[in-house]
Amino acid sequence: MTPRIRTALLSTALLSTGLLGTLSAQAQVSIFTIPALPPRSAAPTPTTPTPVTPTRPALNPALATPHSANLSGPGSLRGGQDTTWTFNLTNLGEAVIDLQHGACDVRFEVLNAAGQVVRANPTNTVCTMQLVMTNVAPGETMDVQSVRWNGRGSDGKALPAGEYTIRAYFNGAGVSIVAEDYPVTLEN
C-alpha cells in the first residue's frame, strides 16, 4: 500500500467519525505521525514454575470385579542393571477374571522422591502382536506381566542414587487395573 493510499484511507476514516475537522485545527495527522503506544508500566513479575503432577494417559474403565494389584520384586537395584518386577493381580471377587490382552498392556513409570516422573512410560515401545491370556480364579493371585527398569531416566542417562517409586498399571482388554505404588532404592 502506498503512502498516498494510506493517507486517503486514514482521512476517510477520520471524516466518517467527524474527527478530521477537529484534528485539522490542531495538526495535520497521517498514518506516519500517529504516536506509538506508551511503554508498559512494569515488566511482568517472573514466576517460579510449579511442578507438574504426573498423569497417566486415558485409561479404560476400572475392572469391576473386586481385586487388588501390586508389583513384586526387589526393593533395590544397582544402576545400569536390568531389574524385573512382576505385576500381580489377586481376584477378591466370586467370578473368574478373564483378561485377553496384548504384550504391552502393563505400563509403568518411575518417580523420584519429589514426585516428578524421571522415567516416563515409553511411548515408542515396539510391542508384538502377542495375545496373552490371564485367567484369575476367585481367591487366586496370578502374574499378569513383568516390567523392567535399569536405573536410567527417560533420556537414557543414569539417575542418582536415592529413593524412587514405580507406578504400574494395566490398560487393556477393555479395563484398567492400577497397582499399588512400589518403593525402590537405586544404588550406584
Side-chain angles (χ1 to χ4, degrees):
M1 185 179 293
T2 66
R4 184 176 290 164
I5 294 174
R6 285 188 204 133
T7 303
L9 289 174
L10 181 60
S11 297
T12 304
L14 293 172
L15 275 174
S16 67
T17 60
L19 294 175
L20 185 59
T22 308
L23 292 173
S24 304
Q26 295 175 358
Q28 185 64 21
V29 176
S30 76
I31 194 139
F32 302 107
T33 59
I34 297 175
L37 293 173
R40 293 185 178 197
S41 58
T45 307
T47 59
T48 305
T50 56
V52 176
T53 303
T55 58
R56 294 183 177 105
L59 296 179
N60 291 320
L63 178 64
T65 304
H67 66 279
S68 69
N70 64 6
L71 291 173
S72 62
S76 65
L77 75 145
R78 288 216 169 274
Q81 182 180 7
D82 278 341
T83 304
T84 304
W85 291 268
T86 304
F87 188 100
N88 301 306
L89 175 62
T90 301
N91 185 342
L92 302 174
E94 296 179 12
V96 173
I97 297 174
D98 181 23
L99 302 175
Q100 295 179 12
H101 54 94
C104 286
D105 287 340
V106 173
R107 309 301 263 175
F108 77 103
E109 60 192 5
V110 179
L111 290 77
N112 64 14
Q116 300 165 321
V117 176
V118 293
R119 192 272 187 195
N121 183 38
T123 56
N124 59 351
T125 303
V126 176
C127 295
T128 63
M129 295 300 291
Q130 176 183 3
L131 180 63
V132 179
M133 309 275 278
T134 303
N135 297 310
V136 187
E140 286 188 355
T141 298
M142 294 288 295
D143 299 348
V144 177
Q145 212 162 311
S146 295
V147 297
R148 271 196 328 237
W149 181 46
N150 59 5
R152 297 187 180 277
S154 295
D155 59 3
K157 295 180 181 174
L159 293 169
E163 300 300 316
Y164 292 86
T165 301
I166 300 175
R167 289 198 325 189
Y169 59 94
F170 171 88
N171 193 37
V175 297
S176 66
I177 303 167
V178 179
E180 297 173 16
D181 288 354
Y182 195 85
V184 174
T185 302
L186 174 59
E187 302 166 351
N188 287 333

